[in-house]
Amino acid sequence: MFCLDHRQDPTVQALRRHIESDAELIELFATAFSEIPEEFLDRSKHIGPAHIRDYSALLDNIDQVIQTVPSWTSAMEQNCVIACPMNEVLIWFMNTRTGSDILARKDINAHFYGILQKWSQYLASAESAKAIHNGKGGWVSAGALTELLDVVVHAHNTTFRPASFAEAFICDPSLPNYGFHSWDDFFTRRFRPGMRPVAGPEDDRIIANPCESQPFALVKNVPASARFSLKGTVYSLRDMLSDGNDTTTAQPSAVFTGGTVFQAWLSAFSYHRWHAPVTGTVVNVLNLRGTYFAADPAKGFENVDPATKASCPDRQAPDLSLTMISSTATRTAVLIQADNPALGTVGFLAIGMADVSSCVATVAVGDRVVKGQEIGSFHYGGSSFCLLFEPGVNLTFSRFVGDALAQDPGYEGRCIAVNSQLAAL
């Protein structure tokens, strides 16, 4: 008999029924929780979801999350995944190998899709705007406005230094909730005109940065396909541009085989709209359903510090799994045939990494886009993207890219301004 709490959201109840109808899946959940070292279930040693020790508690906490709006958490307090409560509930579970395997299953992700869609509807409702207040945990409190403005002001490659959040973003502090209609409206807030000018608008040799983001990787000679290995994950173009359900012989990845992949990530505090890196024509838009919380288990509890012999999981998971999730997470690709023939086709791959993980393109096949034009957005959660370039396209990347790549992934890094020069022929 199912142990249902009828007060839970129907989408969470559906996942509970799915788990409890499968004895093997129940055992897998038990195994995953057993892989969490006991020390991480001790709140005196680690701040985290120590109270979540079985699938029932996990579902109870997921149910609580989708009935709430995220509150502001200071980026200076790195004891949790910043402003991503769903990710925080799953953080130790997703750092286990069995947990990662469970979170990669299609049946589990089908249920997460329904759960996250329900949450996203709430976050787009007028009621969700209640989180945009100036009290404790409010997104327009003094502390929040300071940190949100700091992200804008200290971005690399910009000379614009707005004096306030309201000067940087389209809003009205005199109105309730600063004029934002919902939490999602706030999360996808727009810069005021002129805040992020387009680099070389008339120079088609210059690639503009499509997102306000911090570089993670720059890899050349990327193969069409590759297997994960014990030495670490690698980029696989075919997997990046396919969800495995396409049975056609023509592969969108073929044009990029042997080319270059540049990947970057966005903090939850960043501007979350995408802009065209080049001027050209949209030749393909791919909406690829994938995972929502799967992380690379090699970066989890199996990651051992040789000096202390202690487990060192990715506390900000899946930050250290960005390479892997470029091929597995829910994502959207926009392929643009550049006007400049020397650039050929340029691919933009949006990757949802945490919480709602929604990637929404606002352009379609056949649309003409101009460099710097908005082409889509991420909706609530952590986010990443890749730019794909054909083989033979020789680019010189901004020095800020090299500076950022020399750092470990982390929220303390400085991002590169959207629309600023990322690279040039």
Side-chain angles (χ1 to χ4, degrees), residues 274-278 280-287 332-336 348 359-370 372-377:
W274 326 330
H275 293 253
V278 296
T281 302
V282 177
V283 293
N284 209 339
V285 177
L286 305 168
N287 295 303
T332 294
V334 178
L335 308 186
I336 303 170
F348 171 82
C359 308
V360 180
T362 53
V363 292
V365 173
D367 286 354
R368 178 165 177 76
V369 296
V370 176
Q373 172 186 332
E374 185 181 318
I375 59 173
S377 60

Side-chain angles (χ1 to χ4, degrees), residues 83-105:
C84 293
M86 186 77 78
N87 212 90
E88 183 66 8
V89 165
L90 290 157
I91 192 68
W92 294 154
F93 184 80
M94 66 197 292
N95 267 288
T96 69
R97 180 163 290 276
T98 303
S100 181
D101 289 343
I102 291 170
L103 293 170
R105 289 172 53 140

Side-chain angles (χ1 to χ4, degrees), residues 316-328:
Q316 304 291 343
D319 279 9
L320 299 181
S321 304
L322 291 181
T323 305
M324 185 192 84
I325 68 173
S326 69
S327 295
T328 60

Side-chain angles (χ1 to χ4, degrees), residues 95 180 238 312 325:
N95 267 288
F180 292 106
R238 187 171 298 160
C312 301
I325 68 173

Side-chain angles (χ1 to χ4, degrees), residues 151-172:
V151 174
V152 176
V153 169
H154 293 115
H156 286 299
N157 231 13
T158 181
T159 58
F160 286 79
R161 300 287 184 264
S164 68
F165 176 88
E167 188 177 317
F169 296 99
I170 297 174
C171 63
D172 188 344

